[in-house]
Amino acid sequence: MTDNEIKLKAIAALTALRGGATEGFVSDLLGEVIPDQFVVPANGTPQEVGLAVLRQLSDPLSALITGFILAFDAVADAYDEAGSEPSSEEILQQVALGLAREDAGPDDLGPDDLGPDDLGPDDLGPDGSGPA
C-alpha cells in the first residue's frame, strides 16, 4: 500500500466515524494499513528481528498519522475561516487540559490549572473570570 493510499485510509476512517460507522468498522479500516506479514532475518537475534518488524511498521504508521494531521488541518482551517468560536486552537487547548486533568489527581492541580468551569462561584474573582 502506498503512502497516499494509507493517508486516504486515515481520512476515510475519520469520515466514516463522523458518519456514524461503528468503531469496529473504523478499526478494521485502519488495520488494513498494518502489514499481514513481516520479513525478518532468519538467523537474526531477537533485537534484529524486533528492529526489522519495527521498521516495517513505522512507515505505514507514519503515513497514517500524516493522513490524520492533513485531515485535521483542512477541517480546522475551514472551521477557523468560518469565524467559529471557540477557535480550533482553543478547542485543542481544552482537550489538552481535559487529558491533563484525567492524569492528575486533585492534589496535583493548583488554582492556575483550573478553568472557570472547574471553580465554584465563591472561587471566582470579581469579574467572574478566574480564581479570586
Side-chain angles (χ1 to χ4, degrees):
M1 190 175 288
T2 68
D3 279 3
N4 259 6
E5 290 171 327
I6 293 171
K7 291 172 191 174
L8 288 169
K9 289 282 186 190
I11 295 168
L14 291 171
T15 304
L17 195 59
R18 294 297 299 163
T22 66
E23 288 181 22
F25 173 80
V26 173
S27 180
D28 289 346
L29 187 64
L30 294 175
E32 293 174 11
V33 306
I34 304 299
D36 292 296
Q37 299 177 354
F38 298 95
V39 177
V40 297
N43 297 323
T45 65
Q47 182 179 5
E48 291 170 334
V49 171
L51 285 173
V53 171
L54 184 60
R55 285 187 189 112
Q56 292 168 67
L57 281 173
S58 65
D59 286 343
L61 292 177
S62 179
L64 193 62
I65 290 168
T66 300
F68 285 129
I69 291 170
L70 289 171
F72 172 79
D73 196 40
V75 171
D77 283 347
Y79 178 84
D80 289 340
E81 287 173 9
S84 300
E85 289 294 326
S87 70
S88 61
E89 183 179 347
E90 292 167 326
I91 292 170
L92 289 172
Q93 289 170 347
Q94 291 170 6
V95 170
L97 285 172
L99 290 172
R101 282 188 202 106
E102 286 178 17
D103 283 346
D107 296 336
D108 295 334
L109 297 174
D112 293 336
D113 296 319
L114 302 174
D117 294 338
D118 300 313
L119 302 173
D122 297 334
D123 298 321
L124 297 176
D127 64 353
S129 65

